[in-house]
């Protein structure tokens, strides 16, 4: 088990410290960090780093990406700032992790700082980094920066195009999302599921229902892409916001997978907006079956009853 593995790791760690090897053996220091990260003990991994801040970039990069994987963007950015302070060199994967953390926390200032570092090291032509940078700027509501990076890329791929579309979608700029999509089609880059999810979200934020339906149908009929649960949730949000519950029911009946709590909560929210108690009850039952501990469903349902009474 994990606890037993960590306990064994601590014994090795204590032995390394007692012999004074932590500050002299980079390979050993990195191995300890790697072991703690794999055991899920980031606090202990940080403890090793605190005792050896001058050591190589791989251990720092490892802890940085582990915090991002755990969804803890703030701690990841704290690690980034310490790496910056100690002059630790960044690998391409470290730049990607730090940018993901910026996107998760909407930290524009550090995003720009990272952008400078990326340009300084010549990584701006790396499509993976460019894609993540565009995503990060989009999440920080700075589509002008996203567009600037996009315009400088000699051969953007489907991921870069999709990231740009997603950034405009977040700002509710459906027109720009559609323009990027059209330019993508002109040079024969086939969209993927992420592209269509971003396009549906763009129509959702702008309330353009017919266009959202058109994108949903064309992904299946023209590009032969199977929608996943996120596409269905986005469509239910689009139709539910407009109060078109006949189309919502039809969509749910044709859904090839079981709805998750996000779908039922989205539908419940739409039922609350439009006062649809009957469908709201069904959505609530499904939501609480999917996740009995989902507090939001109970709050939405109690508000729906309050409004009905």
């Amino acid at each position: 088990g994990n606890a037993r593995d960590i306990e064994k790791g601590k014994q090795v760690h204590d032995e390394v410290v007692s012999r004074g090897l932590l500050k002299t053996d980079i390979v050993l220091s990195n191995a300890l960090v790697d072991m703690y990260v794999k055991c899920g003990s980031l606090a202990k991994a940080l403890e090793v780093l605190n005792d050896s801040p001058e050591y190589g970039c791989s251990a720092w990069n490892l802890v940085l990406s582990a915090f991002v994987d755990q969804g803890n963007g703030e701690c990841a950015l704290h690690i980034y700032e310490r790496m910056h302070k100690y002059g630790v060199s960044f690998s391409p994967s470290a730049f990607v992790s730090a940018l993901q953390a910026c996107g998760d926390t909407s930290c524009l200032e550090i995003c720009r700082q990272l952008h400078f570092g990326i340009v300084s090291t010549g990584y701006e032509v790396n499509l993976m980094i460019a894609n993540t940078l565009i995503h990060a700027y989009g999440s920080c509501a700075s589509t002008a920066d996203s567009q600037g990076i996009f315009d400088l890329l000699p051969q953007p791929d489907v991921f870069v195009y999709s990231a740009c579309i997603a950034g405009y979608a977040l700002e509710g700029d459906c027109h720009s999302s559609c323009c990027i999509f059209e330019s993508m089609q002109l040079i024969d880059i086939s969209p993927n599921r992420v592209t269509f999810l971003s396009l549906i979200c763009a129509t959702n934020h702008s309330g353009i229902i017919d266009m959202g339906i058109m994108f949903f149908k064309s992904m299946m009929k023209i590009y032969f892409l199977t929608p996943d649960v996120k596409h269905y949730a986005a469509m239910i949000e689009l139709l539910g916001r407009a109060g078109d519950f006949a189309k919502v029911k039809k969509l749910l009946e044709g859904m090839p997978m079981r709805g998750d709590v996000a779908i039922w909560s989205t539908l419940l929210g739409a039922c609350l907006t439009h006062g649809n108690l009957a469908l709201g009850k069904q959505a609530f039952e499904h939501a609480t079956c999917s996740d009995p501990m989902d507090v939001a469903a109970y709050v939405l349902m109690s508000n729906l009853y309050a409004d009905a009474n």
Side-chain angles (χ1 to χ4, degrees):
N2 236 19
R4 200 161 63 231
D5 291 339
I6 291 171
E7 201 47 53
K8 282 181 186 170
K10 281 179 185 169
Q11 288 169 11
V12 175
H13 186 177
D14 290 343
E15 182 71 17
V16 169
V17 171
S18 70
R19 292 189 184 196
L21 296 171
L22 197 59
K23 292 187 185 294
T24 56
D25 194 325
I26 297 172
V27 175
L28 204 49
S29 167
N30 287 351
L32 272 174
V33 170
D34 185 45
M35 179 271 298
Y36 279 131
V37 166
K38 283 175 179 163
C39 291
S41 180
L42 296 189
K44 291 298 289 182
L46 270 179
E47 200 179 294
V48 178
L49 284 178
N50 288 339
D51 289 338
S52 51
E54 70 274 20
Y55 286 147
C57 66
S58 64
W60 283 98
N61 292 339
L62 199 63
V63 175
L64 176 65
S65 67
F67 273 118
V68 173
D69 292 343
Q70 279 195 1
N72 194 336
E74 286 187 12
C75 277
L77 289 185
H78 179 62
I79 297 292
Y80 157 75
E81 285 176 328
R82 289 179 60 198
M83 289 170 76
H84 198 60
K85 178 184 165 186
Y86 290 127
V88 178
S89 59
F90 274 65
S91 66
S93 65
F95 276 123
V96 166
S97 295
L99 287 168
Q100 284 172 333
C102 287
D104 294 345
T105 56
S106 301
C107 186
L108 184 58
E109 186 189 343
I110 293 181
C111 191
R112 290 208 166 118
Q113 206 177 86
L114 281 161
H115 188 180
F116 179 78
I118 288 161
V119 172
S120 302
T121 46
Y123 285 142
E124 75 273 20
V125 290
N126 177 314
L127 283 180
M128 180 68 183
I129 289 178
N131 175 32
T132 317
L133 190 51
I134 288 169
H135 256 302
Y137 273 134
S139 300
C140 296
S142 187
T143 46
D145 285 301
S146 294
Q147 188 68 51
I149 297 153
F150 178 80
D151 291 340
L152 289 172
L153 287 171
Q155 285 184 301
D157 61 8
V158 62
F159 302 105
V160 171
Y161 270 102
S162 300
C164 224
I165 289 168
Y168 283 118
L170 274 175
E171 285 198 349
D173 186 348
C174 188
H175 174 73
S176 294
S177 285
C178 292
C179 286
I180 299 270
F181 181 59
E182 281 169 21
S183 67
M184 182 178 173
Q185 291 175 300
L186 286 172
I187 55 168
D188 284 336
I189 291 181
S190 292
N192 60 19
R193 286 182 179 84
V194 175
T195 317
F196 279 107
L197 181 61
S198 297
L199 287 165
I200 294 165
C201 289
T203 62
N204 197 340
H205 291 156
S206 306
I208 309 169
I209 297 153
D210 292 345
M211 194 180 276
I213 293 168
M214 183 268 290
F215 283 134
F216 187 71
K217 285 180 177 173
S218 70
M219 80 176 279
M220 293 183 282
K221 292 180 178 173
I222 298 172
Y223 295 98
F224 307 106
L225 295 168
T226 308
D228 62 26
V229 75
K230 287 179 182 174
H231 296 92
Y232 280 98
M235 284 303 296
I236 286 165
E237 188 177 354
L238 177 70
L239 298 169
R241 190 177 280 185
D244 194 340
F245 292 109
K247 281 198 178 84
V248 167
K249 284 180 179 176
K250 195 175 174 186
L251 193 70
L252 287 169
E253 284 161 12
M255 199 164 68
M257 75 286 288
R258 284 184 65 175
D260 64 1
V261 72
I263 279 186
W264 301 117
S265 293
T266 299
L267 180 55
L268 193 49
C271 290
L272 174 62
T273 303
H274 296 282
N276 189 332
L277 185 61
L279 189 58
K281 283 180 182 174
Q282 290 176 38
F284 174 73
E285 283 167 17
H286 284 296
T288 50
C289 278
S290 299
D291 181 6
M293 304 307 288
D294 182 44
V295 177
Y298 292 95
V299 173
L300 288 166
M301 195 64 217
S302 67
N303 288 343
L304 186 52
Y305 274 123
D307 287 356
N309 290 336

